[in-house]
Amino acid sequence: MTDTIRSANAASRPRRRTRPVLRVLAVAALGLVVGLAGAMMPHPASAQVRIDITRGVVEPMPIAISNFLAVDPSGAPFDSDIPGVIASDLASSGLFRPIDRNAFLQAPGEMTPLPDFADWRQINAQALVTGQVRQEGNQIAVEFRLWDVFGQSQMAGVVYRVDPKLWRRVAHMIADQIYERITGEGGYFDTQIVYVAESGPADKRVKRLAIMDQDGANHRYLTDGQDLVLTPRLSPNAREITYMAFRNRQARVFVYDLDTGRQRVLGDFPGMTFAPRFTPDGRSVLMSMARDGATSLYKLDVASGAVQRLTSSQAIDTSPSVSPDGKRMVFNSDRSGGQQIYVANADGSGLQRISFGTGTYATPVWSPRGDLIAFTKMNRGRFVIGVMRPDGSDERLLTDGYLVEGPTWAPNGRVLAFFRKDRPGGETRLYSIDITGYNERLIVTPGEASDPAWSALIR
Protein backbone atom coordinates (compact mmCIF):
# COMPACT_ATOMS: atom_id res chain seq x y z
CA MET A 1 0.00 0.00 0.00
CA THR A 2 1.75 3.12 -1.19
CA ASP A 3 -0.97 5.67 -0.52
CA THR A 4 -1.91 5.80 3.16
CA ILE A 5 -3.66 8.38 5.30
CA ARG A 6 -3.92 8.71 9.04
CA SER A 7 -7.21 7.37 10.36
CA ALA A 8 -9.42 9.47 12.62
CA ASN A 9 -8.77 7.12 15.53
CA ALA A 10 -5.01 7.24 15.17
CA ALA A 11 -4.89 10.99 14.68
CA SER A 12 -6.95 11.79 17.73
CA ARG A 13 -4.97 9.68 20.19
CA PRO A 14 -1.74 10.99 21.72
CA ARG A 15 1.43 9.14 20.94
CA ARG A 16 2.16 6.69 23.69
CA ARG A 17 5.32 6.25 25.68
CA THR A 18 6.85 2.83 26.13
CA ARG A 19 6.97 1.10 29.46
CA PRO A 20 10.19 1.64 31.37
CA VAL A 21 11.42 -1.92 31.11
CA LEU A 22 11.59 -1.56 27.31
CA ARG A 23 12.14 2.12 26.88
CA VAL A 24 15.88 1.96 26.20
CA LEU A 25 15.27 -0.37 23.27
CA ALA A 26 12.24 1.33 21.83
CA VAL A 27 12.26 5.02 22.64
CA ALA A 28 12.79 5.87 18.97
CA ALA A 29 10.74 3.02 17.60
CA LEU A 30 7.26 3.32 19.04
CA GLY A 31 4.91 6.04 17.97
CA LEU A 32 4.78 5.88 14.17
CA VAL A 33 1.10 5.12 13.67
CA VAL A 34 -0.37 5.34 10.17
CA GLY A 35 -4.03 4.71 9.35
CA LEU A 36 -4.87 2.70 6.25
CA ALA A 37 -7.80 3.56 4.00
CA GLY A 38 -7.18 2.56 0.42
CA ALA A 39 -9.37 3.99 -2.34
CA MET A 40 -10.53 0.49 -3.29
CA MET A 41 -12.13 -0.02 0.14
CA PRO A 42 -15.84 0.55 0.78
CA HIS A 43 -16.49 3.67 2.80
CA PRO A 44 -16.46 2.84 6.55
CA ALA A 45 -19.60 4.93 7.12
CA SER A 46 -21.61 1.94 5.85
CA ALA A 47 -20.51 -0.19 8.79
CA GLN A 48 -23.31 -1.29 11.11
CA VAL A 49 -21.32 -3.37 13.63
CA ARG A 50 -21.94 -1.93 17.07
CA ILE A 51 -22.32 -3.08 20.67
CA ASP A 52 -24.62 -1.05 22.90
CA ILE A 53 -23.01 -1.51 26.30
CA THR A 54 -25.53 0.71 28.08
CA ARG A 55 -28.09 -2.13 28.12
CA GLY A 56 -26.51 -4.15 30.92
CA VAL A 57 -26.38 -7.81 29.88
CA VAL A 58 -25.01 -8.01 26.35
CA GLU A 59 -24.72 -11.12 24.20
CA PRO A 60 -21.02 -11.28 23.23
CA MET A 61 -20.37 -10.39 19.60
CA PRO A 62 -18.84 -13.18 17.49
CA ILE A 63 -15.57 -11.85 16.11
CA ALA A 64 -13.02 -13.64 13.94
CA ILE A 65 -9.38 -12.74 14.60
CA SER A 66 -7.25 -14.21 11.85
CA ASN A 67 -3.61 -15.18 12.17
CA PHE A 68 -1.41 -12.30 11.04
CA LEU A 69 0.48 -12.88 7.81
CA ALA A 70 4.25 -12.90 8.44
CA VAL A 71 6.19 -11.00 5.78
CA ASP A 72 9.95 -11.13 6.25
CA PRO A 73 12.43 -10.88 3.35
CA SER A 74 14.93 -12.95 5.35
CA GLY A 75 12.41 -15.74 5.84
CA ALA A 76 12.79 -15.65 9.64
CA PRO A 77 9.52 -16.41 11.44
CA PHE A 78 7.95 -13.93 13.85
CA ASP A 79 7.28 -16.16 16.85
CA SER A 80 4.69 -14.12 18.76
CA ASP A 81 0.92 -14.55 18.92
CA ILE A 82 -0.43 -11.03 18.46
CA PRO A 83 -3.91 -12.29 17.41
CA GLY A 84 -4.03 -14.49 20.53
CA VAL A 85 -3.43 -11.53 22.84
CA ILE A 86 -6.03 -9.45 20.97
CA ALA A 87 -8.56 -12.27 21.31
CA SER A 88 -7.82 -12.69 25.02
CA ASP A 89 -8.23 -8.95 25.66
CA LEU A 90 -11.54 -8.73 23.83
CA ALA A 91 -12.91 -11.91 25.43
CA SER A 92 -12.02 -10.63 28.91
CA SER A 93 -14.35 -7.66 28.40
CA GLY A 94 -17.30 -10.03 28.18
CA LEU A 95 -18.49 -8.17 25.07
CA PHE A 96 -16.78 -10.28 22.41
CA ARG A 97 -16.68 -13.99 21.60
CA PRO A 98 -13.60 -14.79 19.52
CA ILE A 99 -14.40 -17.62 17.07
CA ASP A 100 -12.18 -20.72 17.15
CA ARG A 101 -9.53 -20.39 14.44
CA ASN A 102 -10.12 -24.00 13.40
CA ALA A 103 -13.48 -22.87 11.97
CA PHE A 104 -11.91 -20.33 9.59
CA LEU A 105 -12.42 -20.96 5.89
CA GLN A 106 -9.75 -18.52 4.64
CA ALA A 107 -6.05 -18.44 5.37
CA PRO A 108 -4.27 -15.10 6.00
CA GLY A 109 -2.66 -15.13 2.54
CA GLU A 110 -6.04 -15.51 0.83
CA MET A 111 -7.44 -12.19 2.08
CA THR A 112 -5.45 -9.73 -0.01
CA PRO A 113 -6.65 -7.21 -0.95
CA LEU A 114 -10.13 -8.13 0.38
CA PRO A 115 -11.56 -10.98 2.44
CA ASP A 116 -14.30 -13.16 0.97
CA PHE A 117 -17.01 -11.94 3.32
CA ALA A 118 -19.32 -14.83 2.44
CA ASP A 119 -16.88 -17.26 4.07
CA TRP A 120 -16.92 -15.26 7.30
CA ARG A 121 -20.70 -14.91 7.30
CA GLN A 122 -20.89 -18.69 7.00
CA ILE A 123 -19.24 -19.08 10.43
CA ASN A 124 -21.44 -16.29 11.90
CA ALA A 125 -18.65 -13.74 12.34
CA GLN A 126 -20.01 -10.20 12.64
CA ALA A 127 -16.56 -8.59 12.66
CA LEU A 128 -13.24 -9.73 11.25
CA VAL A 129 -9.68 -8.74 12.18
CA THR A 130 -6.86 -9.33 9.69
CA GLY A 131 -3.26 -8.24 9.75
CA GLN A 132 0.34 -8.79 8.86
CA VAL A 133 3.74 -8.40 10.47
CA ARG A 134 6.66 -7.18 8.34
CA GLN A 135 10.30 -7.07 9.36
CA GLU A 136 11.78 -3.63 8.59
CA GLY A 137 15.38 -3.53 9.69
CA ASN A 138 15.48 -3.74 13.48
CA GLN A 139 11.77 -2.97 13.71
CA ILE A 140 8.54 -4.73 12.89
CA ALA A 141 5.59 -3.09 11.16
CA VAL A 142 2.34 -4.50 12.53
CA GLU A 143 -0.68 -3.75 10.35
CA PHE A 144 -4.24 -4.59 11.27
CA ARG A 145 -7.63 -4.06 9.68
CA LEU A 146 -11.08 -4.33 11.25
CA TRP A 147 -13.89 -5.38 8.90
CA ASP A 148 -17.67 -5.25 9.14
CA VAL A 149 -18.54 -8.68 7.72
CA PHE A 150 -22.18 -8.00 6.85
CA GLY A 151 -21.53 -4.43 5.69
CA GLN A 152 -18.50 -5.68 3.71
CA SER A 153 -16.52 -2.60 4.71
CA GLN A 154 -13.35 -1.67 6.51
CA MET A 155 -13.99 -0.05 9.88
CA ALA A 156 -10.42 0.72 10.97
CA GLY A 157 -6.84 0.14 9.89
CA VAL A 158 -3.54 1.11 11.50
CA VAL A 159 0.18 0.31 11.18
CA TYR A 160 2.49 0.35 14.23
CA ARG A 161 6.26 0.32 13.76
CA VAL A 162 7.98 -0.84 16.93
CA ASP A 163 10.83 -2.78 18.44
CA PRO A 164 9.92 -6.51 18.23
CA LYS A 165 10.05 -6.76 22.03
CA LEU A 166 6.93 -4.56 22.18
CA TRP A 167 4.70 -6.96 20.28
CA ARG A 168 2.40 -7.56 23.27
CA ARG A 169 2.03 -3.81 23.72
CA VAL A 170 0.95 -3.47 20.08
CA ALA A 171 -1.58 -6.28 20.55
CA HIS A 172 -3.14 -4.38 23.47
CA MET A 173 -3.26 -1.18 21.43
CA ILE A 174 -4.99 -2.99 18.57
CA ALA A 175 -7.52 -4.48 21.01
CA ASP A 176 -8.18 -0.94 22.29
CA GLN A 177 -8.80 0.26 18.73
CA ILE A 178 -11.28 -2.56 18.09
CA TYR A 179 -13.06 -2.06 21.42
CA GLU A 180 -13.37 1.69 20.86
CA ARG A 181 -14.57 1.37 17.26
CA ILE A 182 -17.29 -1.17 18.06
CA THR A 183 -18.49 0.00 21.49
CA GLY A 184 -17.93 3.75 21.20
CA GLU A 185 -16.21 3.67 24.62
CA GLY A 186 -12.55 4.15 25.43
CA GLY A 187 -10.35 1.08 25.60
CA TYR A 188 -8.46 -0.13 28.66
CA PHE A 189 -6.19 -2.96 27.51
CA ASP A 190 -2.95 -0.98 27.08
CA THR A 191 -2.70 -0.45 30.83
CA GLN A 192 -0.96 -1.76 33.92
CA ILE A 193 -2.07 -2.72 37.41
CA VAL A 194 0.07 -2.16 40.50
CA TYR A 195 -0.83 -4.12 43.60
CA VAL A 196 0.40 -5.54 46.90
CA ALA A 197 1.83 -9.05 46.50
CA GLU A 198 1.29 -11.05 49.70
CA SER A 199 3.02 -14.17 50.99
CA GLY A 200 3.92 -15.91 54.23
CA PRO A 201 1.96 -16.76 57.39
CA ALA A 202 -0.51 -14.30 58.92
CA ASP A 203 1.83 -13.36 61.78
CA LYS A 204 4.78 -12.77 59.43
CA ARG A 205 3.08 -11.47 56.32
CA VAL A 206 5.35 -10.21 53.53
CA LYS A 207 3.81 -7.43 51.44
CA ARG A 208 5.68 -5.95 48.50
CA LEU A 209 4.87 -3.82 45.49
CA ALA A 210 4.30 -5.57 42.18
CA ILE A 211 3.23 -4.37 38.74
CA MET A 212 1.98 -6.12 35.60
CA ASP A 213 0.06 -5.58 32.40
CA GLN A 214 -3.69 -5.68 32.92
CA ASP A 215 -3.73 -9.26 31.57
CA GLY A 216 -1.06 -10.44 34.02
CA ALA A 217 1.85 -10.43 31.55
CA ASN A 218 5.21 -8.69 32.15
CA HIS A 219 4.88 -9.19 35.90
CA ARG A 220 7.64 -7.85 38.14
CA TYR A 221 8.21 -7.06 41.81
CA LEU A 222 9.23 -3.50 42.69
CA THR A 223 10.21 -3.90 46.35
CA ASP A 224 12.05 -6.68 48.17
CA GLY A 225 9.56 -7.26 50.99
CA GLN A 226 11.70 -5.89 53.81
CA ASP A 227 9.16 -3.09 54.30
CA LEU A 228 5.45 -3.75 54.71
CA VAL A 229 3.77 -1.81 51.88
CA LEU A 230 0.13 -0.71 51.66
CA THR A 231 -2.26 1.24 49.40
CA PRO A 232 -0.21 1.80 46.21
CA ARG A 233 -1.70 4.41 43.86
CA LEU A 234 -0.46 5.36 40.38
CA SER A 235 0.11 8.89 39.16
CA PRO A 236 -2.04 10.18 36.27
CA ASN A 237 0.80 9.61 33.79
CA ALA A 238 1.35 6.06 35.16
CA ARG A 239 5.05 6.70 35.76
CA GLU A 240 5.05 7.06 39.56
CA ILE A 241 3.49 5.16 42.46
CA THR A 242 2.72 6.64 45.85
CA TYR A 243 2.27 4.19 48.70
CA MET A 244 2.59 3.76 52.43
CA ALA A 245 5.34 1.60 53.93
CA PHE A 246 6.31 0.64 57.43
CA ARG A 247 10.04 1.18 57.74
CA ASN A 248 11.76 0.86 61.13
CA ARG A 249 8.29 0.61 62.72
CA GLN A 250 7.33 4.00 61.31
CA ALA A 251 4.68 4.58 58.66
CA ARG A 252 5.84 6.84 55.85
CA VAL A 253 4.53 7.85 52.45
CA PHE A 254 6.86 7.03 49.56
CA VAL A 255 6.98 7.69 45.83
CA TYR A 256 8.39 5.04 43.49
CA ASP A 257 9.65 6.20 40.08
CA LEU A 258 8.95 3.49 37.50
CA ASP A 259 11.45 4.95 35.02
CA THR A 260 14.43 4.90 37.39
CA GLY A 261 13.38 2.40 40.07
CA ARG A 262 14.19 4.95 42.74
CA GLN A 263 12.14 5.46 45.89
CA ARG A 264 11.94 8.57 47.99
CA VAL A 265 10.12 9.64 51.10
CA LEU A 266 7.40 12.06 50.11
CA GLY A 267 7.39 13.62 53.54
CA ASP A 268 8.46 12.88 57.09
CA PHE A 269 5.45 13.76 59.19
CA PRO A 270 4.78 13.29 62.89
CA GLY A 271 2.10 10.73 63.71
CA MET A 272 0.48 8.23 61.36
CA THR A 273 0.11 8.99 57.66
CA PHE A 274 -1.86 6.76 55.31
CA ALA A 275 -4.08 6.40 52.19
CA PRO A 276 -2.03 8.63 49.83
CA ARG A 277 -3.44 9.32 46.36
CA PHE A 278 -2.37 11.62 43.52
CA THR A 279 -4.57 14.47 42.37
CA PRO A 280 -5.63 14.37 38.68
CA ASP A 281 -2.90 16.84 37.65
CA GLY A 282 -0.20 14.75 39.36
CA ARG A 283 1.18 17.79 41.20
CA SER A 284 -0.14 16.93 44.64
CA VAL A 285 -0.90 13.97 46.85
CA LEU A 286 -3.87 13.82 49.21
CA MET A 287 -3.47 11.76 52.37
CA SER A 288 -4.68 11.32 55.93
CA MET A 289 -2.57 12.35 58.91
CA ALA A 290 -3.25 11.80 62.61
CA ARG A 291 -2.48 14.86 64.70
CA ASP A 292 -3.71 15.98 68.12
CA GLY A 293 -6.21 13.16 68.45
CA ALA A 294 -7.86 13.73 65.06
CA THR A 295 -7.23 12.23 61.64
CA SER A 296 -7.71 14.82 58.91
CA LEU A 297 -7.09 15.15 55.18
CA TYR A 298 -4.04 17.01 53.93
CA LYS A 299 -2.75 18.04 50.53
CA LEU A 300 0.98 17.81 49.86
CA ASP A 301 2.60 19.62 46.95
CA VAL A 302 4.97 17.07 45.38
CA ALA A 303 7.50 19.66 44.14
CA SER A 304 7.72 22.03 47.10
CA GLY A 305 6.64 19.80 49.97
CA ALA A 306 4.13 22.40 51.15
CA VAL A 307 1.28 20.92 53.20
CA GLN A 308 -2.30 22.21 53.31
CA ARG A 309 -4.91 20.93 55.76
CA LEU A 310 -8.26 20.28 54.06
CA THR A 311 -10.58 19.00 56.82
CA SER A 312 -10.78 19.92 60.47
CA SER A 313 -12.80 18.04 63.08
CA GLN A 314 -12.33 15.42 65.79
CA ALA A 315 -13.44 12.73 63.32
CA ILE A 316 -11.39 10.22 61.36
CA ASP A 317 -11.31 11.38 57.72
CA THR A 318 -9.52 9.13 55.26
CA SER A 319 -9.37 7.61 51.75
CA PRO A 320 -9.59 10.85 49.74
CA SER A 321 -10.13 10.74 45.97
CA VAL A 322 -10.39 13.80 43.71
CA SER A 323 -12.86 14.18 40.84
CA PRO A 324 -11.38 14.13 37.31
CA ASP A 325 -11.85 17.90 36.91
CA GLY A 326 -10.01 18.51 40.19
CA LYS A 327 -12.85 20.56 41.65
CA ARG A 328 -14.21 18.15 44.26
CA MET A 329 -13.09 15.28 46.45
CA VAL A 330 -14.75 12.28 48.06
CA PHE A 331 -13.67 10.59 51.29
CA ASN A 332 -15.01 8.54 54.17
CA SER A 333 -15.48 9.86 57.69
CA ASP A 334 -17.03 8.82 61.00
CA ARG A 335 -18.05 12.37 61.87
CA SER A 336 -21.72 11.32 61.85
CA GLY A 337 -21.10 8.47 64.27
CA GLY A 338 -20.63 5.72 61.70
CA GLN A 339 -18.28 5.54 58.73
CA GLN A 340 -19.97 7.20 55.74
CA ILE A 341 -19.03 8.83 52.43
CA TYR A 342 -18.76 12.60 52.04
CA VAL A 343 -18.02 14.91 49.15
CA ALA A 344 -16.56 18.40 49.39
CA ASN A 345 -14.91 21.03 47.29
CA ALA A 346 -11.22 20.41 46.63
CA ASP A 347 -10.26 22.83 49.42
CA GLY A 348 -12.46 21.04 51.97
CA SER A 349 -15.37 23.48 51.89
CA GLY A 350 -18.97 22.62 51.00
CA LEU A 351 -19.00 19.34 52.91
CA GLN A 352 -21.93 17.03 52.15
CA ARG A 353 -22.75 13.48 53.23
CA ILE A 354 -23.92 11.29 50.32
CA SER A 355 -24.22 7.74 51.76
CA PHE A 356 -27.28 6.83 53.84
CA GLY A 357 -27.73 3.09 53.36
CA THR A 358 -27.44 0.47 56.07
CA GLY A 359 -23.93 -0.54 57.10
CA THR A 360 -20.68 1.39 56.86
CA TYR A 361 -18.90 2.71 53.78
CA ALA A 362 -15.20 2.96 52.92
CA THR A 363 -12.58 3.45 50.17
CA PRO A 364 -14.58 5.72 47.83
CA VAL A 365 -12.97 6.28 44.42
CA TRP A 366 -14.13 8.76 41.80
CA SER A 367 -14.63 7.38 38.30
CA PRO A 368 -12.31 8.70 35.53
CA ARG A 369 -15.49 9.82 33.73
CA GLY A 370 -16.74 11.68 36.80
CA ASP A 371 -20.17 10.07 36.71
CA LEU A 372 -19.83 7.49 39.50
CA ILE A 373 -18.11 6.83 42.82
CA ALA A 374 -17.10 3.26 43.64
CA PHE A 375 -16.97 2.16 47.28
CA THR A 376 -16.65 -0.73 49.71
CA LYS A 377 -19.59 -1.38 52.04
CA MET A 378 -19.71 -3.51 55.19
CA ASN A 379 -23.06 -4.77 56.44
CA ARG A 380 -23.95 -7.71 58.71
CA GLY A 381 -20.56 -9.33 58.35
CA ARG A 382 -20.51 -9.15 54.54
CA PHE A 383 -18.47 -6.90 52.27
CA VAL A 384 -19.85 -5.36 49.09
CA ILE A 385 -18.38 -3.44 46.14
CA GLY A 386 -20.83 -0.85 44.80
CA VAL A 387 -21.20 2.39 42.90
CA MET A 388 -23.31 5.52 43.36
CA ARG A 389 -23.73 8.91 41.73
CA PRO A 390 -21.68 11.81 43.18
CA ASP A 391 -24.86 13.10 44.83
CA GLY A 392 -25.45 9.73 46.52
CA SER A 393 -28.29 8.64 44.24
CA ASP A 394 -28.60 5.40 42.27
CA GLU A 395 -26.60 3.23 44.69
CA ARG A 396 -25.97 -0.16 43.06
CA LEU A 397 -24.24 -3.17 44.61
CA LEU A 398 -22.08 -5.10 42.12
CA THR A 399 -20.59 -8.01 44.06
CA ASP A 400 -20.31 -9.23 47.63
CA GLY A 401 -18.50 -11.83 49.71
CA TYR A 402 -16.70 -12.69 52.90
CA LEU A 403 -14.15 -9.98 52.02
CA VAL A 404 -14.28 -7.81 48.90
CA GLU A 405 -12.49 -4.49 49.08
CA GLY A 406 -10.35 -1.85 47.40
CA PRO A 407 -12.13 -0.92 44.14
CA THR A 408 -10.06 0.77 41.44
CA TRP A 409 -11.25 2.05 38.05
CA ALA A 410 -10.07 1.09 34.60
CA PRO A 411 -9.38 4.29 32.61
CA ASN A 412 -12.60 4.00 30.59
CA GLY A 413 -14.75 4.13 33.74
CA ARG A 414 -16.65 0.93 32.87
CA VAL A 415 -14.64 -1.76 34.66
CA LEU A 416 -13.51 -2.08 38.28
CA ALA A 417 -10.75 -4.19 39.80
CA PHE A 418 -10.79 -5.18 43.49
CA PHE A 419 -9.50 -7.90 45.80
CA ARG A 420 -11.47 -10.81 47.24
CA LYS A 421 -11.09 -13.45 49.96
CA ASP A 422 -13.87 -16.05 49.98
CA ARG A 423 -13.40 -17.52 53.47
CA PRO A 424 -11.32 -17.16 56.64
CA GLY A 425 -7.81 -18.35 55.91
CA GLY A 426 -8.51 -18.38 52.18
CA GLU A 427 -6.35 -16.82 49.49
CA THR A 428 -6.65 -13.14 48.60
CA ARG A 429 -6.94 -12.59 44.86
CA LEU A 430 -7.64 -9.80 42.37
CA TYR A 431 -10.82 -9.67 40.31
CA SER A 432 -12.43 -7.37 37.77
CA ILE A 433 -16.12 -6.67 37.15
CA ASP A 434 -18.19 -4.54 34.79
CA ILE A 435 -20.18 -1.69 36.35
CA THR A 436 -23.35 -3.51 35.31
CA GLY A 437 -22.42 -6.19 37.88
CA TYR A 438 -21.68 -8.80 35.21
CA ASN A 439 -18.52 -10.45 33.90
CA GLU A 440 -16.64 -10.90 37.19
CA ARG A 441 -13.25 -12.41 36.35
CA LEU A 442 -10.11 -13.49 38.15
CA ILE A 443 -7.01 -11.41 37.39
CA VAL A 444 -4.15 -13.93 37.43
CA THR A 445 -1.17 -13.16 39.68
CA PRO A 446 1.75 -15.41 40.76
CA GLY A 447 0.56 -15.42 44.37
CA GLU A 448 -1.88 -13.75 46.71
CA ALA A 449 -2.70 -10.15 45.89
CA SER A 450 -4.52 -7.16 47.35
CA ASP A 451 -4.95 -3.39 47.01
CA PRO A 452 -4.91 -3.05 43.19
CA ALA A 453 -4.56 0.28 41.40
CA TRP A 454 -5.32 0.51 37.67
CA SER A 455 -3.22 2.83 35.53
CA ALA A 456 -4.35 5.26 32.89
CA LEU A 457 -3.68 4.30 29.27
CA ILE A 458 0.08 4.11 28.77
CA ARG A 459 1.34 7.11 26.82
Side-chain angles (χ1 to χ4, degrees):
M1 274 151 280
T2 56
D3 296 323
T4 61
I5 62 173
R6 186 177 298 272
S7 71
N9 283 347
S12 63
R13 294 181 65 177
R15 293 186 177 182
R16 302 181 181 199
R17 295 165 54 188
T18 61
R19 290 174 182 156
V21 69
L22 298 175
R23 180 164 300 175
V24 173
L25 297 173
V27 66
L30 188 60
L32 182 54
V33 181
V34 182
L36 301 171
M40 72 288 193
M41 302 299 175
H43 197 281
S46 64
Q48 299 298 317
V49 175
R50 185 82 170 182
I51 297 177
D52 181 2
I53 59 179
T54 64
R55 294 185 293 121
V57 182
V58 175
E59 183 68 25
M61 172 184 289
I63 184 170
I65 304 172
S66 172
N67 287 325
F68 280 25
L69 185 66
V71 181
D72 186 349
S74 69
F78 179 69
D79 187 22
S80 298
D81 188 10
I82 291 176
V85 174
I86 297 169
S88 179
D89 280 347
L90 296 177
S92 72
S93 73
L95 301 176
F96 299 86
R97 180 176 61 81
I99 297 173
D100 189 332
R101 296 182 198 175
N102 291 326
F104 295 177
L105 302 178
Q106 290 184 66
E110 299 172 339
M111 292 185 283
T112 302
L114 287 170
D116 185 339
F117 292 106
D119 282 351
W120 299 101
R121 288 195 298 270
Q122 188 171 332
I123 62 171
N124 298 317
Q126 294 185 32
L128 167 67
V129 177
T130 63
Q132 64 175 246
V133 182
R134 299 189 303 273
Q135 191 74 35
E136 296 183 352
N138 61 357
Q139 293 183 319
I140 55 171
V142 182
E143 170 194 325
F144 96 97
R145 295 174 185 265
L146 173 64
W147 305 90
D148 177 349
V149 173
F150 289 91
Q152 301 187 77
S153 60
Q154 179 180 308
M155 301 175 67
V158 177
V159 172
Y160 300 93
R161 288 179 172 84
V162 301
D163 186 290
K165 294 181 182 293
L166 291 176
W167 70 268
R168 290 190 66 92
R169 175 92 194 275
V170 171
H172 294 317
M173 294 168 73
I174 292 172
D176 279 334
Q177 290 268 351
I178 297 167
Y179 183 95
E180 291 170 12
R181 184 65 181 84
I182 294 180
T183 69
E185 298 275 354
Y188 61 96
F189 304 117
D190 186 26
T191 57
Q192 294 177 299
I193 294 176
V194 63
Y195 72 96
V196 175
E198 300 193 22
S199 60
D203 59 342
K204 291 184 179 179
R205 202 66 167 163
V206 175
K207 295 190 176 186
R208 50 183 172 163
L209 285 184
I211 195 168
M212 61 186 179
D213 296 352
Q214 54 79 29
D215 63 350
N218 294 318
H219 184 279
R220 60 191 173 113
Y221 297 103
L222 303 178
T223 59
D224 58 14
Q226 294 187 20
D227 299 329
L228 189 71
V229 302
L230 301 170
T231 61
R233 303 291 182 256
L234 281 151
S235 63
N237 67 2
R239 304 311 329 136
E240 292 181 312
I241 303 166
T242 182
Y243 64 98
M244 188 179 77
F246 284 92
R247 179 170 294 183
N248 299 323
R249 298 184 178 181
Q250 183 178 358
R252 290 180 171 178
V253 175
F254 287 79
V255 169
Y256 186 103
D257 189 312
L258 285 168
D259 292 333
T260 64
R262 296 175 181 171
Q263 303 173 66
R264 62 185 174 91
V265 178
L266 191 58
D268 197 357
F269 311 105
M272 178 70 78
T273 59
F274 50 97
R277 188 185 295 272
F278 283 99
T279 55
D281 60 11
R283 298 176 182 175
S284 303
V285 168
L286 266 60
M287 67 183 79
S288 297
M289 286 197 287
R291 289 183 177 179
D292 303 323
T295 301
S296 303
L297 302 183
Y298 291 80
K299 181 179 180 180
L300 173 68
D301 185 274
V302 174
S304 68
V307 177
Q308 175 188 358
R309 186 171 183 172
L310 301 177
T311 62
S312 180
S313 74
Q314 292 305 303
I316 298 176
D317 299 337
T318 189
S319 299
S321 174
V322 180
S323 61
D325 61 8
K327 295 180 179 179
R328 292 190 292 170
M329 65 175 177
V330 63
F331 62 97
N332 57 255
S333 174
D334 65 355
R335 62 183 60 215
S336 61
Q339 192 168 290
Q340 299 292 333
I341 297 177
Y342 291 78
V343 295
N345 295 326
D347 62 0
S349 64
L351 190 70
Q352 178 186 2
R353 177 178 166 179
I354 63 169
S355 65
F356 293 93
T358 56
T360 59
Y361 294 76
T363 62
V365 189
W366 219 302
S367 163
R369 300 197 299 192
D371 59 337
L372 293 171
I373 291 170
F375 58 85
T376 302
K377 184 177 182 178
M378 294 77 72
N379 187 33
R380 297 180 180 179
R382 300 286 287 180
F383 281 71
V384 175
I385 299 293
V387 293
M388 65 173 66
R389 299 290 180 186
D391 62 1
S393 65
D394 194 22
E395 178 176 322
R396 291 181 286 120
L397 307 182
L398 307 182
T399 187
D400 70 340
Y402 168 74
L403 174 64
V404 291
E405 199 170 0
T408 179
W409 291 97
N412 69 347
R414 284 209 56 88
V415 182
L416 287 165
F418 60 95
F419 66 96
R420 172 189 289 279
K421 180 184 288 189
D422 289 327
R423 56 183 172 81
E427 292 189 335
T428 304
R429 294 290 184 177
L430 304 185
Y431 286 80
S432 65
I433 192 168
D434 190 85
I435 59 170
T436 59
Y438 294 92
N439 194 41
E440 182 170 326
R441 289 175 177 258
L442 174 70
I443 300 174
V444 177
T445 55
E448 294 191 59
S450 63
D451 254 332
W454 212 318
S455 80
L457 287 171
I458 307 298
R459 302 299 185 188

